Amino acid sequence: MTIQAVAEEVADQIRAADFIEVYAHHDADGIAAGAILCQAILRAGGRFRLRVRQSIRAEDIIHPESTLLCDLGAGLADLPERVMVVDHHVPHFEGAYHVNPHLAGIDGERELSASGTAYLVAQALGDHRDLVGLALLGVLGDRQEFVGTNREILNEGIANGYISPDTGLLLPGRGVREALETAIDPYIHGVSGDPETVTKILEHAVGEGEDEVDDDLLLSLLVLDAGADVAPSVFSRLYGTRYRLEREVVEDARTLTALVEGCGQEGRGGLAASICLRSPDAVEEGFRVAEGYRRRVLAGVADARPVDDGAVLYAVTDATVASGVADCLAFDLRRDTPVAVMAPCGGDEWHVSARAPPGVEVDLEAVLRDLAGALGGTGGGHRDRSGASVPADRIEEFRDGFVKAVAL
């Protein structure tokens, strides 16, 4: 069955319900997916409640036929079969109302995000082409590519005048200083989180106004000041094609993605959703919260310490930044092995975020699912970006098992 056909079936289920319980994952992709569908539900005359969560369990579902999971649920084989799932993670849920690119022969790792999938469902509910800008948040937030269905959605948005491409610096922020000091996507080792280095760079590259930037000189200085451990791919992600979202309260797509991601990770999912639902009053606070999150991630990178001889597994004290720290360590530094970051999460559980750098072939979804499951926890996600929750009294076993499983 095509993904459009399943989207139509889920749209019919939504129409048939008086009230929809919507759960969205707490990252940019999940929150954007939830916001897309909530706006479509509202416009169709329906009612909803949106809740942003880090995870969901089968026992959390009270009314399966009117529950919609966004960027959540694909990995749960024990969900009630009538739950609606709009997701792009590796699918284990076998219910009929599961819209997932993997089930339609589309690469959900790089060609279609949860927010893009949600956009397809929204279009099955009616003409909601103006929501296309939010579909870009999943592509950018989950480090996907504008290929396949992602490219089709982007082209549609450009053709309809809702997305306008241009070129420029790709780092999000309210100014160049903030963008450089809080850069975590990409993380520029030697620059990110170093105010003195940023000041030195800006003294040479910026004119009297902070917007008067000599881009060529700025990029050259960043290359010179970056540490030797920076992955070459970082420099290709500093400047390039940007997308202006003509209908959103924050125009720059990457800045909006960072805003929503930061608020969601800080436990401010309601604030992030308000921004996606086009509330201008939420933007200023959203910037403050998201900046604070990026600075905490950088502090986590500085504090991360390897707990094995091969520097595959790192420990941090703050579980809320483990995912961001893992991204920085795996994707933006020179590495030829997977990396996992673990942190205590409450008194009886540890959270683990694992990443595989480009070119490293290991199925982290399977590794974390099997290893955490055998220890009484849960795990899963994507092949190159996965997470797990592990009982605190089994974390040493997890450490040893993970290092063994990913030994290359």
Side-chain angles (χ1 to χ4, degrees), residues 33-254:
I36 288 171
L37 288 170
C38 286
Q39 291 188 77
I41 291 168
L42 187 64
R43 294 174 182 181
R47 298 179 301 141
F48 66 87
R49 176 169 60 176
L50 171 61
R51 286 181 279 188
V52 177
R53 301 274 294 266
Q54 181 177 359
S55 61
I56 195 80
R57 301 172 300 174
E59 52 265 37
D60 297 328
I61 309 300
I62 306 301
H63 302 289
E65 69 284 350
S66 59
T67 297
L68 173 61
L69 307 183
C70 299
D71 202 28
L72 291 167
L76 300 178
D78 61 343
L79 281 178
E81 63 178 17
R82 297 198 64 187
V83 170
M84 294 172 282
V85 173
V86 176
D87 201 352
H88 71 128
H89 292 92
V90 175
H92 296 271
F93 173 56
E94 297 182 354
Y97 304 109
H98 184 181
V99 192
N100 190 313
H102 290 282
L103 298 175
I106 300 170
D107 185 355
E109 306 288 324
R110 56 189 289 269
E111 294 185 11
L112 187 59
S113 65
S115 57
T117 306
Y119 177 73
L120 299 181
V121 177
Q123 288 302 93
L125 279 165
D127 183 359
H128 303 295
R129 287 175 291 177
D130 66 300
L131 302 177
V132 68
L134 293 178
L136 270 59
L137 271 62
V139 183
L140 300 174
D142 275 21
R143 300 169 182 261
Q144 292 197 344
E145 302 173 37
F146 284 108
V147 296
T149 309
N150 283 338
R151 168 59 67 177
E152 294 172 8
I153 292 172
L154 172 66
N155 287 343
E156 177 184 314
I158 294 172
N160 289 320
Y162 297 120
I163 300 172
S164 301
D166 62 7
T167 57
L169 190 68
L170 300 181
L171 300 175
R174 287 166 289 186
V176 180
R177 177 177 293 278
E178 179 185 308
L180 294 176
E181 283 190 12
T182 66
I184 62 172
D185 185 13
Y187 165 65
I188 314 169
H189 181 59
V191 176
S192 299
D194 188 336
E196 293 184 3
T197 298
V198 171
T199 296
K200 182 182 68 173
I201 291 172
L202 295 183
E203 285 175 349
H204 293 88
V206 179
E208 294 182 3
E210 194 168 320
D211 292 333
E212 299 175 13
V213 180
D214 183 329
D215 288 335
D216 291 338
L217 180 55
L218 175 63
L219 294 171
S220 297
L221 292 170
L222 289 174
V223 171
L224 291 172
D225 282 286
D229 291 334
V230 171
S233 61
V234 165
F235 302 115
S236 66
R237 292 158 53 207
L238 295 175
Y239 189 92
T241 302
R242 302 188 303 189
Y243 299 101
R244 187 171 69 251
L245 309 180
E246 304 294 350
R247 291 296 183 91
E248 305 308 324
V249 293
V250 175
E251 289 188 343
D252 178 65
R254 291 184 184 274

